[in-house]
Amino acid sequence: MKFLVCISNVPDTTTKIAFTPDNKEFNKAGVQFVINPWDEYALTRAIELKEAQGSGTVTVLNVGEADTEPNIRKALAIGADDAIRVNAAPKDAYFVAQQIAAVAKEGAYDVILMGKESIDYNGFQVHGMVGEMLGIPTVAPAMKLDMSGSTATLEREIEGGKEIVEVSAPFVASCQQPMCEPRIPNMRGIMTARTKPLKVVEAVGEGARTSVAEYALPPKKQGVKLIPAESAGDLIKLLRNEAKVI
Amino acid sequence: MSVLVVVECDGGEVKKSSLEVASYGSQVAQMLGTTATAVAVGEATEANLAKLGEQGISKVLYDAEPRLKDFVNSAYTKLIAAAVEKESSAVIVLANSNIGASVGSRLSVRLKASLATNVVELPKNDGGSFTVKRGAFSGKAFADVVLTGDRKILAVKKNSIEASHEAGKTAQVESFSAGLSDADFTDAPKQVVMQDQAGGILLPEADRVVSGGRGMKGPENWHLIEDLAKALGAATACSKPVSDVDWRPHHEHVGQTGITVSPNLYIACGISGAIQHLAGVNSSKVIVVINKDPEAPFFKAADYGIVGDVFDVLPKLTQAVKELN
Ligand SMILES: Cc1cc2nc3c(=O)[nH]c(=O)nc-3n(C[C@H](O)[C@H](O)[C@H](O)COP(=O)(O)OP(=O)(O)OC[C@H]3O[C@@H](n4cnc5c(N)ncnc54)[C@H](O)[C@@H]3O)c2cc1C
């Protein structure tokens, strides 16, 4: 099996979000970038499945400029075999999906995995776009993925429950917890990652279909109204008469 | 040119989030000077579909094919694409649900449409540019996104718009066939397992949520959360560490790496308010925090707070709700 795992480079989850003065771009100053937490499920599960099968390869793919390479190396340290970077800023989901579809087609990958969504753009779109471009099934979001030969059994989360779905490779799945326990790199992994192949290719296809005109932060809260614990019941009256939510 | 609204149905009823989507769609239609048609997916009844008139829908297309009862990605995508062609729809509105995102993303490629998910407001269509506000950075920010091209797909986040009601208005329900065949059902689920949810209220659909964190000390104390939730007609939720140690199931985990909720009321009990937790809940209309530590960061994001012990406060709140009802 050839696994292709798509990773994105996102601000660490503790980042305080701020924008450039014109509010047109995310302000990267002083921000630590990490592998998108959802993508870690995809990466670890691909490595586990490859190990269970005793053969195959795991390739990581990132659409990003050169500054994403530390996180690509981290994915290699966690256990991917090689990496491809499409040298372009990820303009929108459609643009990124075209790059992934082109790489997947060229390399004839069997299983294309990614995280549910990126924690910066929160699009939750790329999986379906790639599946449609390649004419193969998509399962999103997947909480469980097992493989036997080229048949995969997945648990897809739906509102209020889950579906058990069976598909044959090739397919696309977007992954989330509790699929596996994401691995962290060990010393040996970090050493070997330095020499694993990382290929850089140029972007293909059409441009983006959407663009961000402006970012904004949510309005600030008014401040908390404290109710003494002794008269906790008063809170309920406030929720009915003042906030009008019950 | 019309607006097409995708309504998800379950057990014969239109889901509440889809009533909001229907209202959203008919307001977009009004803005564009056209009408809104709905296409129903899932198990629906004609009587309930006709009631979508109350949300401003003029016509509902319904394919009674029994295999459409469960979510099947290929079949749903084909059905909706056929409805778009039939109605020559320029704008397609869906719920920002797992179904909506799965189908919407495939449709955007098939129909050469631009797509915005996580949409939180009505679009603006001035000066020839079509812009919508969407949530980004896991609830920590918003982005105004410009959609290009002749066709647009919008996936609308729950609680972004109030479902309108014009009592007595009915939509015309029209049977519709997308000519689905076995080939469209190859990715049909082998099995569908629904959760056993406290009080029958699903977290993603809930208007009120009572949530517990590590401060609840253990799963044996969750009846305190459940009692309050039941009295309020709320769903239950939890912080990540709580589901990590299996005190509660994973589908209750809210936050940056769990599900995002935006109810009218979110009550956090014994949760510290870490930035990753806040990301999943901070678009709730009213946030109540109960924590024994007055310095807990959650108080900064709250509208109402009680500095106190959850084991003392929760029974009092449940009692007060019962007295109120
Ligand atoms: C990459 C990443 C992603 C993450 N994603 C998420 C996420 O999606 N969702 C999430 O929730 N977390 C997430 N976290 C974890 C997050 O950082 C916090 O660790 C977590 O939210 C803390 O959970 P908690 O508030 O239940 O526990 P704690 O932080 O331990 O807080 C317990 C609180 O209970 C209070 N308390 C204790 N006893 C009582 C009592 N008797 N009465 C009243 N109050 C009491 C304490 O004062 C304290 O404030 C993530 C972390 C990382 C690194």
Side-chain angles (χ1 to χ4, degrees):
Chain A
M1 283 279 135
K2 287 181 74 177
F3 292 91
L4 182 66
V5 178
C6 312
I7 62 170
S8 61
N9 197 55
V10 298
D12 178 84
T13 57
T14 56
T15 306
K16 250 193 111 182
I17 302 301
F19 302 104
T20 51
D22 61 1
N23 284 324
K24 290 204 183 304
E25 272 172 67
F26 174 63
N27 188 350
K28 293 184 180 178
V31 171
Q32 162 101 21
F33 279 79
V34 296
I35 299 175
N36 180 39
W38 303 98
D39 300 344
E40 294 185 358
Y41 292 98
L43 176 62
T44 296
R45 191 62 191 140
I47 296 166
E48 287 174 358
L49 288 168
K50 180 195 113 169
E51 287 170 356
Q53 290 170 355
S55 67
T57 53
V58 175
T59 302
V60 284
L61 168 62
N62 167 256
V63 180
E65 291 169 317
D67 58 351
T68 68
E69 287 198 4
N71 281 325
I72 300 179
R73 288 284 170 209
K74 186 177 170 204
L76 292 169
I78 290 169
D81 300 293
D82 61 345
I84 300 170
R85 181 170 67 81
V86 178
N87 187 28
K91 293 189 201 85
D92 78 343
Y94 179 66
F95 175 81
V96 170
Q98 291 176 84
Q99 311 313 318
I100 296 172
V103 169
K105 201 166 179 182
E106 160 127 15
Y109 290 92
D110 302 297
V111 179
I112 303 156
L113 300 181
M114 59 190 73
K116 176 188 167 187
E117 64 182 13
S118 67
I119 63 165
D120 51 0
Y121 192 73
N122 306 110
F124 192 24
Q125 304 175 357
V126 172
H127 53 92
M129 291 181 174
V130 172
E132 185 70 19
M133 287 168 187
L134 297 172
I136 61 177
T138 12
V139 182
M143 302 188 288
K144 208 170 163 195
L145 164 61
D146 288 310
M147 297 214 48
S148 141
S150 64
T151 305
T153 306
L154 300 109
E155 278 184 19
R156 179 208 332 256
E157 183 175 57
I158 50 172
E159 278 69 23
K162 62 189 177 192
E163 288 184 351
I164 319 289
V165 190
E166 226 173 71
V167 291
S168 324
F171 66 90
V172 181
S174 77
C175 306
Q176 68 169 45
Q177 85 287 352
M179 183 172 279
C180 57
E181 191 54 52
R183 292 187 187 177
I184 51 169
N186 59 27
M187 211 48 217
R188 209 181 129 257
I190 294 167
M191 301 302 287
T192 55
R194 290 188 193 148
T195 55
K196 286 181 178 171
L198 192 171
K199 190 165 88 177
V200 179
V201 299
E202 293 307 315
V204 296
E206 305 162 24
R209 283 183 178 156
T210 61
S211 60
V212 174
E214 195 177 22
Y215 286 106
L217 294 173
K220 283 238 169 354
K221 285 272 177 190
Q222 300 277 309
V224 59
K225 188 178 229 176
L226 289 177
I227 294 101
E230 305 77 65
S231 45
D234 290 351
L235 170 67
I236 299 300
K237 290 187 197 120
L238 287 168
L239 291 178
R240 166 147 308 173
N241 301 324
E242 189 178 82
K244 300 191 169 44
V245 286
I246 59 172
Chain B
M1 191 195 76
S2 74
V3 171
L4 186 79
V5 173
V6 180
V7 293
E8 296 178 23
C9 305
D10 191 18
E13 309 258 352
V14 178
K15 289 187 191 169
K16 189 169 171 286
S17 50
S18 283
L19 294 178
E20 293 172 9
V21 167
S23 302
Y24 185 101
S26 45
Q27 290 183 42
V28 175
Q30 232 167 43
M31 210 177 96
L32 301 176
T34 180
T35 54
T37 300
V39 56
V41 295
E43 192 178 18
T45 64
E46 264 193 41
N48 283 334
L49 292 179
K51 272 200 274 178
L52 283 165
E54 297 184 356
Q55 279 75 47
I57 300 292
S58 50
K59 182 168 76 180
V60 186
L61 306 176
Y62 182 48
D63 186 338
E65 155 70 55
R67 286 179 292 181
L68 288 169
K69 176 173 161 286
D70 295 325
F71 173 48
V72 185
N73 206 343
S74 330
Y76 277 31
T77 307
K78 189 165 168 184
L79 175 83
I80 297 162
V84 170
E85 296 304 342
K86 179 176 182 305
E87 298 293 313
S88 319
S89 314
V91 178
I92 299 125
V93 186
L94 332 94
N96 193 59
S97 60
N98 288 341
I99 294 175
S102 293
V103 174
S105 52
R106 291 197 81 105
L107 277 177
S108 71
V109 171
R110 197 169 301 180
L111 302 173
K112 299 190 171 44
S114 53
L115 167 65
T117 52
N118 222 3
V119 168
V120 296
E121 269 179 16
L122 285 166
K124 290 189 185 73
N125 189 25
D126 39 43
S129 112
F130 189 98
T131 311
V132 284
K133 190 183 275 304
R134 66 183 299 280
F137 293 97
S138 304
K140 293 180 204 166
F142 295 102
D144 286 332
V145 177
V146 182
L147 282 79
T148 59
D150 296 336
R151 257 186 192 148
K152 283 119 187 153
I153 304 179
L154 308 176
V156 181
K157 189 173 166 186
K158 165 116 177 52
N159 238 343
S160 299
I161 185 169
E162 228 163 288
S164 48
H165 283 284
E166 263 197 76
K169 276 189 84 179
T170 56
Q172 170 202 345
V173 182
E174 195 177 297
S175 77
F176 170 67
S177 168
L180 299 172
S181 68
D182 286 354
D184 302 309
F185 289 92
T186 48
D187 58 341
K190 297 276 167 269
Q191 198 191 344
V192 180
V193 187
M194 293 315 280
Q195 288 145 17
D196 177 24
Q197 202 97 11
I201 294 158
L202 296 175
L203 183 53
E205 291 274 313
D207 280 334
R208 298 172 202 129
V209 175
V210 183
S211 187
R214 230 165 13 194
M216 291 302 298
K217 303 282 191 292
E220 66 281 5
N221 299 321
W222 237 261
H223 63 274
L224 295 172
I225 299 276
E226 283 164 353
D227 288 347
L228 179 59
K230 203 164 167 196
L232 285 170
T236 54
C238 68
S239 67
K240 181 173 188 285
V242 164
S243 69
D244 281 348
V245 296
D246 283 334
W247 290 359
R248 299 298 292 175
H250 270 283
H251 62 251
E252 284 199 0
H253 154 202
V254 294
Q256 186 145 20
T257 51
I259 65 168
T260 308
V261 293
S262 45
N264 287 327
L265 175 62
Y266 184 83
I267 304 184
C269 313
I271 304 176
S272 58
I275 191 163
Q276 298 95 346
H277 185 86
L278 294 181
V281 306
N282 62 7
S283 52
S284 309
K285 290 224 166 70
V286 171
I287 294 181
V288 174
V289 170
I290 305 159
N291 197 304
K292 68 176 185 189
D293 174 10
E295 301 298 320
F298 220 146
F299 283 118
K300 289 203 180 72
D303 300 286
Y304 296 95
I306 296 180
V307 178
D309 190 322
V310 282
F311 299 102
D312 162 50
V313 171
L314 278 171
K316 283 189 189 153
L317 294 181
T318 306
Q319 187 57 35
V321 176
K322 285 184 179 154
E323 281 164 15
L324 199 67
N325 292 341

